Amino acid sequence: MFARCAALVALLVGSVACSPATGSTGSPGLGSNALGPPLATSSEVGEWVREKTGQCDDVVPRTMEEFGEFVGPLRAKLYAPYVAEWATCKAGPYERLGLVVFQREKLADFQRSWQGALSSGEVSDGPDFGFGNGFALSGTLGLELLGLHELRCTPVRPGEDVGHTVPAEAQGCIYTQTSGHHH
């Protein structure tokens, strides 16, 4: 009996040690890695948008001061500590579409910060971004057609249709995509 229990413990410890951590950004299929190709620069994001839409030709790198002006003081406080770089371009209905690249190692921290802002009443909804793998686009109009997801850090109510979901990096957050729009 003892040998059987020891073998079971060894198997469980081994499977935990060899399996990806929950919310790991380095594991395919988990968190933002399940949201498409990884993009690490605003130039790459601009090129991706151009491939998808035929627009976003002139990607203009922007400063973090300009980021604060672009998203407003509250959003800047919540987003900026986790942003690696950002730029803008003209695409679709947006004169200045924000191309935001997050610090990958801080995605879970960003999501936990957003959860805290929701809990305190500082914000009442998800971020105003469409999320991809390590990046986001400002706004929401038409972004689901690009295969982007919304970040949601509030519980799903019984019977609520949130469409396609992927667990986010932080426990209690998910990436959602309206039914019928995921690719």
Side-chain angles (χ1 to χ4, degrees), residues 5 16 31 41 49 109-110 115 143-144:
C5 287
V16 169
T41 68
V49 171
D109 294 335
F110 165 67
Q115 283 175 313
L143 297 182
E144 74 279 357

Side-chain angles (χ1 to χ4, degrees), residues 2-149:
F2 177 75
R4 194 167 134 199
C5 287
L8 180 59
V9 168
L11 178 63
L12 288 173
V13 169
S15 67
V16 169
C18 295
S19 65
T22 302
S24 167
T25 58
S27 302
L30 294 177
S32 66
N33 281 325
L35 304 182
L39 302 178
T41 68
S42 52
S43 296
E44 288 177 355
V45 176
E47 184 177 316
W48 181 82
V49 171
R50 193 169 30 261
E51 287 173 7
K52 295 271 191 182
T53 67
Q55 299 177 33
C56 195
D57 290 328
D58 297 318
V59 173
V60 179
R62 302 289 182 170
T63 66
M64 289 311 291
E65 183 176 284
E66 290 173 302
F67 183 73
E69 294 166 5
F70 186 73
V71 298
L74 172 61
R75 299 288 202 245
K77 180 182 96 170
L78 294 171
Y79 298 148
Y82 311 102
V83 172
E85 65 178 72
W86 85 290
T88 59
C89 72
K90 182 177 173 156
Y94 300 100
E95 282 296 314
R96 288 192 336 157
L97 177 66
L99 315 172
V100 180
V101 177
F102 284 90
Q103 299 173 51
R104 292 193 68 80
E105 70 279 2
K106 293 187 176 182
L107 279 170
D109 294 335
F110 165 67
Q111 294 161 6
R112 283 189 289 271
S113 170
W114 197 266
Q115 283 175 313
L118 282 165
S119 295
S120 71
E122 198 171 11
V123 296
S124 60
D125 206 351
D128 305 316
F129 286 148
F131 286 85
N133 188 346
F135 70 95
L137 300 181
S138 66
T140 55
L141 182 62
L143 297 182
E144 74 279 357
L145 299 176
L146 296 175
L148 298 176
H149 289 67

Side-chain angles (χ1 to χ4, degrees), residues 139-162:
T140 55
L141 182 62
L143 297 182
E144 74 279 357
L145 299 176
L146 296 175
L148 298 176
H149 289 67
E150 293 178 24
L151 176 67
R152 180 183 179 134
C153 296
T154 55
V156 176
R157 293 182 298 272
E160 183 179 8
D161 181 17
V162 294

